């Protein structure tokens, strides 16, 4: 029994505001169940939710993962960008070249995301959220493939990608050079086992695959904080 990707979590200085931005932009619903904090429920085949967790820390540097969103035409791309800007996003420069067709934006707290150009063959069979694009090595792509039980759908030139057998976004790793790690990351994965699963056995399995337990000051909590082989944090929740 393996974990599933339960949520993508954002550390946020203003969780309600950031959740409203993403709910409006993606067309997702804000959950009435507050047991996990402020949660957005997908309205498509994404397969995981989004959680917004309070944090006093300010964003520094570029996030190690971001959304790549798809477009069906240049007009569609322009409308997506305009909608994001109306909701509070802004254009940013992360070193993209003028000839590249994607548009780089940041949400109200500076979290980067891209609106891809139409005709992107790699994302052609994906929905609006085409990919979670991560900074990471080839080995970490192999780790997450085994951890989630998702097959590799790309493995070339040290770049990897996996995708759930049920569809939804791809999760990609761009290979070297890797960005330097500068502290706790603002975005992380929450994994969870189905009801009746054994959390400790799952932690042991993930360790056998190359993960480590880490202490970020979480104290006595019912989840286990871990890091993948590249040092990116994630949490293993109690079964649900």
């Amino acid at each position: 029994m393996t974990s599933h990707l339960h949520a993508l979590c954002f550390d946020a200085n203003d969780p309600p505001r950031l959740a409203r931005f993403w709910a409006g932009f993606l067309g997702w619903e804000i959950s009435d169940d507050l047991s996990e904090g402020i949660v957005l429920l997908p309205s498509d085949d994404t397969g995981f939710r989004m959680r917004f967790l309070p944090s006093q820390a300010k964003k520094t540097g570029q996030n190690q993962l971001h959304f790549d969103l798809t477009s069906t035409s240049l007009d569609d791309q322009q409308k997506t960008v305009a909608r994001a800007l109306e909701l509070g996003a802004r254009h940013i420069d992360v070193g993209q070249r003028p000839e590249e067709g994607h548009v780089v934006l940041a949400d109200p707290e500076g979290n980067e995301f891209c609106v891809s150009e139409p005709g992107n063959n790699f994302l052609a069979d994906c929905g609006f959220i085409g990919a979670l694009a991560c900074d990471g090595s080839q080995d970490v792509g192999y780790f997450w493939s085994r951890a989630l039980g998702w097959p590799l759908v790309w493995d070339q030139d040290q770049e990897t990608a996996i995708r759930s057998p049920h569809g939804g976004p791809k999760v990609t790793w761009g290979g070297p050079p890797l960005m330097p790690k500068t502290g706790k990351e603002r975005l992380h994965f929450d994994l969870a086992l189905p009801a009746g699963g054994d959390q400790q056995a799952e932690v042991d399995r993930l360790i056998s695959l190359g993960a480590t337990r880490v202490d970020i000051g979480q104290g006595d909590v019912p989840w286990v904080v871990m890091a993948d082989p590249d040092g990116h944090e994630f949490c293993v929740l109690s079964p649900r």
Side-chain angles (χ1 to χ4, degrees):
M1 184 180 294
T2 60
S3 296
H4 62 275
L5 179 52
H6 180 70
L8 173 64
C9 299
F10 288 70
D11 284 358
N13 300 139
D14 188 344
R17 179 182 181 226
L18 195 59
R20 287 193 299 270
F21 168 82
W22 283 105
F25 184 50
L26 296 177
W28 290 17
E29 294 292 328
I30 298 178
S31 174
D32 294 329
D33 181 359
L34 298 179
S35 62
E36 294 185 0
I38 301 175
V39 172
L40 300 189
L41 303 175
S43 58
D44 51 26
D45 69 348
T46 297
F48 57 83
R49 56 193 63 198
M50 294 168 64
R51 294 180 65 207
F52 299 87
L53 308 173
S55 172
Q56 298 299 315
K58 299 297 182 182
K59 185 178 186 294
T60 59
Q62 189 174 327
N63 288 338
Q64 60 91 14
L65 69 85
H66 66 268
F67 284 132
D68 281 342
L69 307 174
T70 63
S71 300
T72 57
S73 65
L74 284 175
D75 182 62
D76 180 54
Q77 183 186 36
Q78 292 166 0
K79 287 179 178 177
T80 297
V81 171
R83 186 170 78 252
L85 296 174
E86 288 169 4
L87 291 168
R90 58 185 171 86
H91 288 278
I92 58 168
D93 183 354
V94 295
Q96 67 270 29
R97 298 185 299 274
E99 66 271 17
E100 293 177 315
H102 62 275
V103 178
V104 184
L105 301 171
D107 71 17
E109 294 203 3
N111 300 300
E112 304 86 2
F113 63 98
C114 295
V115 183
S116 298
E117 69 281 5
N120 184 312
N121 292 330
F122 183 69
L123 303 178
D125 61 341
C126 299
F128 181 55
I129 301 178
L132 285 177
C134 306
D135 183 67
S137 64
Q138 183 180 47
D139 285 344
V140 93
Y142 295 163
F143 165 82
W144 281 107
S145 176
R146 294 189 294 266
L148 295 173
W150 292 8
L152 284 162
V153 294
W154 181 263
D155 185 7
Q156 186 172 312
D157 299 326
Q158 299 191 62
E159 298 176 354
T160 51
I162 63 175
R163 192 180 188 190
S164 167
H166 305 295
K170 295 175 179 177
V171 185
T172 71
W173 292 271
L178 305 184
M179 294 188 296
K181 195 172 186 309
T182 57
K184 181 180 180 293
E185 287 146 359
R186 297 190 73 78
L187 281 75
H188 72 265
F189 292 149
D190 273 353
L191 308 187
L193 287 162
D198 186 329
Q199 184 186 38
Q200 184 56 55
E202 178 64 354
V203 168
D204 292 343
R205 184 184 74 90
L206 293 167
I207 290 172
S208 75
L209 295 177
T212 55
R213 294 184 70 139
V214 294
D215 186 348
I216 55 171
Q218 65 268 23
D220 185 15
V221 292
W223 58 87
V224 178
V225 183
M226 307 191 75
D228 69 20
D230 281 351
H232 302 308
E233 300 94 356
F234 66 96
C235 295
V236 181
L237 308 181
S238 54
R240 59 202 58 211

